[in-house]
């Protein structure tokens, strides 16, 4: 599948920020994300970059435990929702995660519900590798198999959503990362519902 232009995904998530936030809460996605974070917490080190913070659920949990957290999202309405959750504890950026560049190096770069939307994944992974400090970790959090959003909030947006997303199997995701110079260090999972699971994958750059 060819993913549409990144601007299509940006316009979608600028339009549906509040609906998306409510959907994730009501359908158990946020609860699953919290369980994944708990399982990976001992591997997370500061400073931390949340590459696509969205409405800020994961970000708010990170900010409670780690003082040195930076957030990014290309959707300003998403950032506005995230700011309501974390206040002035976090510095925010508004870059396209596919080609983000920052002067800071991070011990942990976290990528949640983002990888399926990336148009040029090798390019993005190269950019993310540049953000990592020595022995830094890249954490991917994605659902598998991907199930189209089903809720009162997201049903009106489902067709548009499916036009900007390119879901991968777990095996495909891991292969893309390993082909780009990463090695899988840890893998955990938890059910979202009876149809699909949420996975947390920790990668490190190969020496």
């Amino acid at each position: 599948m060819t993913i549409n232009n990144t601007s299509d995904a940006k316009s979608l998530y600028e339009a549906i920020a509040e609906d998306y936030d409510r959907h994730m809460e009501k359908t158990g996605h946020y609860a699953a994300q919290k369980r994944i974070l708990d399982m990976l917490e001992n591997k997370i080190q500061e400073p931390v970059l949340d590459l696509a913070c969205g409405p800020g659920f994961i970000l708010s949990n990170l900010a409670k435990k780690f003082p040195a957290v930076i957030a990014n999202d290309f959707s300003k309405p998403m950032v506005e929702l995230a700011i309501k959750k974390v206040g002035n504890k976090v510095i925010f950026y508004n870059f396209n995660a596919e080609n983000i560049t920052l002067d800071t190096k991070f011990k942990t770069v976290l990528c949640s519900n983002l990888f399926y939307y990336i148009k040029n994944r090798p390019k993005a992974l190269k950019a993310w590798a540049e953000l990592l400090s020595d022995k830094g970790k890249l954490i991917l959090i994605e659902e598998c198999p991907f199930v189209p959003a089903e809720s009162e909030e997201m049903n009106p947006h489902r067709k548009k959503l499916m036009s900007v997303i390119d879901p991968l199997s777990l095996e495909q995701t891991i292969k893309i990362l390993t082909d780009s110079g990463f090695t899988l260090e840890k893998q955990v999972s938890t059910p979202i519902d009876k149809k699909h699971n949420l996975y947390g994958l920790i990668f490190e750059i190969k020496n």
Side-chain angles (χ1 to χ4, degrees):
M1 175 181 177
T2 300
I3 309 173
N4 284 356
N5 192 291
T6 304
S7 63
D8 293 335
K10 181 178 180 180
S11 63
L12 171 66
Y13 278 95
E14 287 182 341
I16 68 169
E18 292 187 3
D19 284 344
Y20 176 83
D21 195 23
R22 287 191 292 266
H23 162 80
M24 295 291 282
E25 177 68 36
K26 289 171 60 175
T27 56
H29 285 74
Y30 281 160
Q33 288 180 358
K34 178 62 167 62
R35 293 193 297 272
I36 291 291
L37 282 178
D38 289 344
M39 285 187 264
L40 299 181
E41 183 179 345
N42 65 346
K43 295 289 187 178
I44 299 174
Q45 296 183 42
E46 302 171 84
V48 182
L49 172 64
D50 189 343
L51 267 173
C53 69
F57 177 79
I58 285 179
L59 180 65
S60 64
N61 282 273
L62 291 171
K64 290 173 184 175
K65 298 178 179 180
F66 303 99
V69 178
I70 289 176
N72 177 73
D73 201 282
F74 66 180
S75 165
K76 290 184 179 180
M78 288 288 193
V79 169
E80 289 169 1
L81 288 175
I83 289 173
K84 291 179 181 178
K85 292 182 174 70
V86 300
N88 60 1
K89 294 181 181 178
V90 175
I91 296 172
F92 285 87
Y93 291 95
N94 197 216
F95 293 109
N96 176 352
E98 188 170 313
N99 50 30
I100 184 172
T101 57
L102 293 171
D103 292 334
T104 306
K105 295 288 187 179
F106 299 90
K107 283 287 188 181
T108 306
V109 173
L110 188 142
C111 169
S112 177
N113 289 358
L114 170 65
F115 202 58
Y116 295 169
Y117 295 89
I118 296 296
K119 184 177 181 181
N120 189 331
R121 291 172 179 134
K123 174 185 174 184
L125 288 168
K126 183 178 180 180
W128 302 349
E130 290 295 321
L131 295 171
L132 290 169
S133 60
D134 184 45
K135 298 188 183 302
K137 314 290 186 186
L138 173 64
I139 298 179
L140 261 61
I141 300 176
E142 291 289 352
E143 57 187 79
C144 188
F146 180 81
V147 176
E150 295 182 4
S151 67
E152 179 182 350
E153 290 78 15
M154 289 297 289
N155 284 345
H157 312 295
R158 188 185 305 178
K159 183 177 180 181
K160 180 67 173 178
L161 171 66
M162 295 309 296
S163 75
V164 298
I165 193 168
D166 180 20
L168 300 168
S169 68
L170 194 64
E171 294 74 19
Q172 287 173 315
T173 298
I174 293 171
K175 185 178 187 305
I176 291 170
L177 269 290
T178 55
D179 287 349
S180 294
F182 289 84
T183 183
L184 180 64
E185 180 181 306
K186 185 174 182 177
Q187 174 181 321
V188 298
S189 66
T190 187
I192 298 172
D193 53 32
K194 294 180 179 180
K195 296 180 179 179
H196 61 324
N197 294 335
L198 190 67
Y199 288 84
L201 307 172
I202 298 183
F203 294 91
E204 204 175 86
I205 289 288
K206 295 175 184 175
N207 294 325

